[in-house]
Amino acid sequence: MITAIVLITADVDRIPEVAHFIADLAAATEIYTVAGDADLIAMVRVRRHEDLADTIADRLNKVTGVTGTNTHIAFRTYSRHDLEAAFS
């Protein structure tokens, strides 16, 4: 499983519509509205790198109201849940 954290900038008056449209993409597992340099953050999970291109470049970037994206690929996941399981 490949996880991408996608920071999304959007037209301010279209943020809710953009978030709902992206949430309907199968690979987008969570969408967050945020403060800071981005308007939204999407967690995208796919099986193959090619699926990232399909989801981000071919669909997400073409959503009306999206003005830019910045994609980060996760290498490892660390969470309290994972650490508790490792030490129990």
Side-chain angles (χ1 to χ4, degrees):
M1 180 72 59
I2 300 163
T3 300
I5 300 97
V6 185
L7 286 67
I8 303 161
T9 54
D11 292 329
V12 174
D13 59 338
R14 298 223 10 110
I15 291 172
E17 291 86 1
V18 169
H20 285 289
F21 189 89
I22 294 170
D24 286 338
L25 298 176
T29 58
E30 297 118 76
I31 310 299
Y32 301 96
T33 55
V34 296
D37 294 335
D39 299 306
L40 300 163
I41 294 178
M43 302 301 292
V44 174
R45 294 182 172 89
V46 295
R47 295 189 190 277
R48 304 172 310 133
H49 284 96
E50 294 83 7
D51 297 333
L52 284 176
D54 292 341
T55 300
I56 298 168
D58 295 341
R59 293 189 183 135
L60 194 149
N61 275 328
K62 294 179 181 175
V63 172
T64 301
V66 170
T67 59
T69 59
N70 187 349
T71 302
H72 300 264
I73 305 298
F75 294 129
R76 291 191 179 107
T77 301
Y78 298 93
S79 72
R80 176 167 291 176
H81 174 75
D82 295 336
L83 292 174
E84 288 173 357
F87 290 105
S88 63

